[in-house]
Amino acid sequence: MNSENNNLAFKGAIFDLDGVITKTAVVHASAWKVMFDEYLQRVAQREQVPFKAFTYEQDYLTYVDGKPRYKGVQSFLESREIFLDWGAPSDHPDQETVCGLGNRKNIKFQDVLERDGIDVYTSTVRFIDELKARFIHVGVASSSKNCEYILKSAELEDRFETRVDGVISVELGLKGKPAGDIFIRAAQNMGVKPAEAIVIEDAVSGVQAGVNGKFGLVIGVAREGNEEDLKKNGADIVIPDFAEYSVDQVQQWFKEKNSI
């Protein structure tokens, strides 16, 4: 590889967690549905209006997926013209506030994880190991406040130089997706510029965050048949999985996008 090509090679890769590394996205979606349906049924009975269930396609993917937990609650409720007080992160799960509902969802999420354990996408882990073997910086950036717990439970924590998650975002005052803050911070922690790094995401809000952070390449992982949505929102490349792709292939995509 000549010096010109070396200058075009990416130096860091930042991965989303749920739906990219671990198979926890489906657990999140299920926990959201249970929580919201219980709440919506209560509202329907109280206000004597028809109950309209929370759906994966129209509600989860549009208003919740990839966003910080409380922002997801607020975004969905406002889509139904339900406006609650924000409350505080310490709110009891039974409190009718944005934070209370978010905390109730998290209890249901953790219950499922404890019962069923955590599955990983082995193709993504293989790709991460290939990156590390090539001395490319690897980080994880997630809106989830459960990120550390999930990585430890899956025995993946040691594979990442940096972790910027929902807990750290609150501590540092970082904006959630679709802002690029958490990806930019992860790049800074690894000592690389966003233009020298790639972002790997499965959510529309995450793809938007990679674009807003001005990263050198944004890869969308379409596990739910959402290829077009990821492309429309800025993904440079959309793949179904990493099973058929190597670091060399991704480096080629990066060079093609960034060559002058």
Side-chain angles (χ1 to χ4, degrees), residues 58-83:
Q58 294 181 348
D59 298 321
Y60 177 74
L61 291 179
T62 304
Y63 302 109
V64 177
D65 189 24
K67 296 180 181 178
R69 188 189 314 154
Y70 303 137
K71 283 292 186 183
V73 173
Q74 183 184 50
S75 180
F76 167 69
L77 290 180
E78 288 182 353
S79 77
R80 297 289 184 93
E81 297 186 348
I82 299 173
F83 303 94

Side-chain angles (χ1 to χ4, degrees), residues 2-249:
N2 62 36
S3 60
E4 181 182 0
N5 282 337
N6 273 323
N7 289 335
L8 288 175
F10 68 85
K11 300 176 181 178
I14 305 168
F15 291 78
D16 177 43
L17 177 68
D18 300 311
V20 173
I21 301 169
T22 59
K23 299 181 181 181
T24 40
V26 65
V27 182
H28 277 291
S30 177
W32 280 114
K33 179 169 176 58
V34 171
M35 184 278 290
F36 274 131
D37 278 354
E38 289 177 353
Y39 176 68
L40 293 170
Q41 286 175 333
R42 192 160 72 242
V43 170
Q45 291 174 353
R46 183 174 66 207
E47 300 184 7
Q48 296 186 328
V49 296
F51 164 68
K52 181 181 177 183
F54 179 87
T55 68
Y56 182 80
E57 291 288 342
Q58 294 181 348
D59 298 321
Y60 177 74
L61 291 179
T62 304
Y63 302 109
V64 177
D65 189 24
K67 296 180 181 178
R69 188 189 314 154
Y70 303 137
K71 283 292 186 183
V73 173
Q74 183 184 50
S75 180
F76 167 69
L77 290 180
E78 288 182 353
S79 77
R80 297 289 184 93
E81 297 186 348
I82 299 173
F83 303 94
L84 298 182
D85 289 340
W86 183 267
S90 59
D91 283 359
H92 190 277
D94 288 336
Q95 284 185 251
E96 195 170 344
T97 62
V98 167
C99 291
L101 292 182
N103 292 342
R104 185 167 181 78
K105 176 266 173 181
N106 198 49
I107 289 174
K108 295 183 180 299
F109 175 75
Q110 292 178 339
D111 286 345
V112 175
L113 288 187
E114 291 177 9
R115 185 189 70 213
D116 299 340
I118 297 169
D119 290 331
V120 303
Y121 289 103
T122 56
S123 59
T124 304
V125 175
R126 186 268 310 159
F127 184 74
I128 290 169
D129 288 342
E130 186 181 348
L131 289 167
K132 292 175 67 65
R134 301 275 286 272
F135 301 102
I136 295 171
H137 299 282
V138 179
V140 59
S142 170
S143 299
S144 176
K145 291 184 176 180
N146 295 298
C147 183
E148 183 178 20
Y149 167 76
I150 291 169
L151 289 175
K152 286 182 176 179
S153 298
E155 299 182 347
L156 294 174
E157 188 180 28
D158 292 342
R159 282 179 163 85
F160 302 97
E161 288 180 47
T162 186
R163 168 181 49 83
V164 181
D165 60 13
V167 174
I168 292 171
S169 292
V170 171
E171 293 174 355
L172 299 180
L174 303 178
K175 295 179 182 177
K177 305 170 188 177
D181 292 25
I182 64 173
F183 290 117
I184 293 170
R185 184 65 186 217
Q188 291 173 340
N189 290 349
M190 298 189 300
V192 300
K193 299 174 183 178
E196 301 172 326
I198 67 173
V199 163
I200 301 96
E201 261 284 357
D202 71 318
V204 165
S205 61
V207 164
Q208 292 171 333
V211 173
N212 291 334
K214 302 186 185 308
F215 280 81
L217 186 76
V218 178
I219 298 177
V221 182
R223 303 203 190 274
E224 302 295 336
N226 57 338
E227 294 92 341
E228 289 304 314
D229 283 341
L230 295 174
K231 287 178 182 177
K232 284 191 297 186
N233 284 279
D236 299 300
I237 299 291
V238 178
I239 62 175
D241 189 80
F242 275 101
E244 299 180 7
Y245 300 99
S246 66
V247 171
D248 286 334
Q249 176 64 73

